[in-house]
Amino acid sequence: MMKKRVIGVIGLGHVGAHVAFTLGVTGAADIVKLCDVREQKLISERQDLMDAVRFMPHRVNYVIAKYEELGDCDIIINAIGKIELLVTHNRDTEMNFTVAQVADFIPRVMAGGFQGIFINITNPCDVVTDLIAKLSGLPKGHVFGTGTGLDSSRLVSAIAQQTGLDHKSITAYMMGEHGNAQMVPWSLIEFGGKPLSELEKDPRFVFNKDEIKERTIKAGWVTYVGKGCTEYGICSTAVALANAVLHDEKRIMAASCPLDGEYGEKGIFAGCPAVIGAAGVEQVMEYTLTAEELAEFRKCCSTIRENIKRAEAVWR
């Protein structure tokens, strides 16, 4: 009998529910396990999702599960949060709530025998991803976060709008913290393999770099102000990462990755381009940054370290 692809989603708010739907509508999973502390929310979301199954490309079954029942999942995607805390426009505001929640349920998930890949969305993403890695004891690379994957997509979108080129023809990454302390390594930006530095005679490729960076960082808040949440971009990021794992794509994407000396940083999670495959983060891509870019990245990492210390005070 062919093995079914099983993915668990923890937290069925705006983001988690969209992740669950996208896993089905893209045919990524055969079984999606739904986990949330709100019983009626689970019942209602499952009903709505099962009503949509007839119109999905492949058969998928949505199953309500407790934390301890996620042990057979190939991947678990953590999407818990408290969206109303983001009125400050600072993802760190969620920290006390999300850290306490994650510290409570990770031991329960692991008690169920989970040995798969853990993808974290929950904010502050790098901090919570670090916490999941510590509490789960899973092998290096088997825990990672969406991190600057979404921010990189926002950067590419801003560049595409100015140049008129298709998003898929542009290679660009945001690095560092998934938050206000993130940076743009302009030296890595390419268009079909041609570096930005060779195209700047064309006015389409002359960027107001400060404005583009600020627009990228604030893009999530533009979405949040009118909707009270973000949904499509982040669920697409998470499902793309999940697909890279399920199909062993060896795809280079930005994610919140464990650093072990790359860029001079060690012992933290930060947003970097990485090879994503069946073993999760299989390689952090260590590109040659300019001295200014490297200094800015390491400053981002200092912010993450400070937040990890604050988080540890909550859960220890």
Side-chain angles (χ1 to χ4, degrees), residues 151-165 167 170 172 174 186 191 204 207-208 211-217 219:
D151 303 301
S152 297
S153 180
R154 290 167 173 161
L155 173 62
V156 167
S157 180
I159 292 170
Q161 289 174 57
Q162 176 169 322
T163 62
L165 295 176
H167 293 61
I170 301 166
M174 295 296 287
W186 290 96
F191 300 84
R204 290 183 302 158
F207 297 98
N208 182 330
E211 188 272 333
I212 291 288
K213 176 183 175 181
E214 182 178 13
R215 195 200 317 176
T216 300
I217 292 173

Side-chain angles (χ1 to χ4, degrees), residues 227-241:
K227 295 180 55 169
C229 63
T230 63
E231 300 165 316
Y232 310 125
I234 186 57
C235 81
S236 299
T237 304
V239 173
L241 288 166

Side-chain angles (χ1 to χ4, degrees), residues 77-294:
I77 299 174
N78 176 42
I80 69 157
K82 198 170 185 179
I83 197 70
E84 56 267 30
L85 294 176
L86 291 178
V87 292
T88 61
H89 287 200
N90 186 331
R91 295 173 182 87
D92 296 342
T93 309
E94 283 192 280
M95 184 183 298
N96 287 354
F97 173 80
T98 56
V99 165
Q101 294 289 313
V102 170
D104 175 68
F105 73 67
I106 290 297
R108 297 169 62 184
V109 170
M110 300 312 296
F114 178 68
Q115 292 296 319
I117 303 295
F118 222 119
I119 301 175
N120 176 58
I121 296 173
T122 292
N123 286 316
C125 186
D126 307 291
V127 174
V128 173
T129 305
D130 177 83
L131 175 60
I132 293 172
K134 287 174 178 172
L135 293 180
S136 68
L138 289 168
K140 179 186 173 183
H142 286 212
V143 177
F144 62 95
T146 49
T148 53
L150 174 56
D151 303 301
S152 297
S153 180
R154 290 167 173 161
L155 173 62
V156 167
S157 180
I159 292 170
Q161 289 174 57
Q162 176 169 322
T163 62
L165 295 176
D166 182 75
H167 293 61
K168 296 181 181 64
S169 299
I170 301 166
T171 301
Y173 303 106
M174 295 296 287
M175 292 178 61
E177 181 196 38
H178 174 56
N180 295 331
Q182 57 184 284
M183 51 83 67
V184 185
W186 290 96
S187 64
L188 302 184
I189 295 178
E190 294 184 342
F191 300 84
K194 198 171 186 68
L196 173 62
S197 59
E198 296 181 14
L199 292 167
E200 291 179 315
K201 292 181 181 179
D202 185 331
R204 290 183 302 158
F205 297 92
V206 177
F207 297 98
N208 182 330
K209 293 181 178 178
D210 290 338
E211 188 272 333
I212 291 288
K213 176 183 175 181
E214 182 178 13
R215 195 200 317 176
T216 300
I217 292 173
K218 292 183 176 179
W221 306 120
V222 173
T223 304
Y224 177 84
V225 166
K227 295 180 55 169
C229 63
T230 63
E231 300 165 316
Y232 310 125
I234 186 57
C235 81
S236 299
T237 304
V239 173
L241 288 166
N243 269 316
V245 172
L246 289 171
H247 300 288
D248 196 20
E249 291 179 359
K250 314 295 186 190
R251 179 177 178 181
I252 297 175
M253 293 181 64
S256 183
C257 306
L259 298 185
D260 189 20
E262 296 89 354
Y263 304 102
E265 295 292 338
K266 191 172 184 177
I268 64 167
F269 282 77
C272 295
V275 177
I276 310 297
V281 172
E282 299 187 353
Q283 178 186 354
V284 174
M285 300 297 294
E286 189 170 15
Y287 297 105
T288 301
L289 304 179
T290 67
E292 293 78 9
E293 289 169 348
L294 182 59

